[in-house]
Amino acid sequence: MLLLLGIVHLVATPHIAALIRHSASQGAGDNLIPPMLLNHILVGVLLLPLGFLTFYAAPYSDRWAQVIVRTTALTVATLPLTLLWLMGFRYFDAPLFVVGFLLVVAASVTLLLAAFTKSRATASAETAHS
């Protein structure tokens, strides 16, 4: 889901630039678009390796893998509430924002469940070794 969120983030970038161009004056758009592009491209690109590392570490029960998956899960879990706190509900009429928000919520729940619940295979392996 983090990989998908990174892709959606990058796909949304030109749409947001167009929205700024059409909604702001020429001077304001010239000032707003570069930092928005930097932010969106940076975050979108960083979500790709974060998603890959989390996906790669998920099947392992080693300590390094648990640290990666649990740290990612806890961090991503803060995002829905942080978005609502900082942005409120005023952007929920924008379809790409809603898609992004729902992906963040789904990723949060999925990552938390995967990171903090034991799979049956892990639980039965631990029982067999006891």
Side-chain angles (χ1 to χ4, degrees):
M1 287 190 176
L2 292 174
L3 290 167
L4 182 58
L5 188 59
I7 292 167
V8 168
H9 210 77
L10 292 171
V11 168
T13 301
H15 297 286
I16 296 171
L19 178 67
I20 291 171
R21 271 190 214 95
H22 296 301
S23 300
S25 68
Q26 178 71 30
D30 290 345
N31 288 331
L32 294 172
I33 291 174
M36 182 281 304
L37 288 173
L38 174 65
N39 178 55
H40 259 258
I41 292 169
L42 183 69
V43 170
V45 168
L46 288 175
L47 280 167
L48 299 176
L50 180 64
F52 173 77
L53 285 172
T54 305
F55 182 77
Y56 179 79
Y60 296 97
S61 60
D62 298 340
R63 189 80 180 133
W64 68 266
Q66 286 183 352
V67 169
I68 289 172
V69 173
R70 288 179 176 175
T71 301
T72 302
L74 290 171
T75 302
V76 172
T78 67
L79 294 176
L81 291 175
T82 303
L83 284 171
L84 289 175
W85 176 58
L86 293 173
M87 301 180 80
F89 291 95
R90 64 183 172 268
Y91 297 105
F92 278 85
D93 58 344
L96 283 174
F97 182 82
V98 173
V99 168
F101 183 79
L102 292 176
L103 282 171
V104 169
V105 170
S108 297
V109 171
T110 303
L111 283 167
L112 286 171
L113 289 173
F116 293 100
T117 58
K118 288 186 179 181
S119 70
R120 291 180 200 202
T122 304
S124 62
E126 287 178 0
T127 304
H129 291 286
S130 297

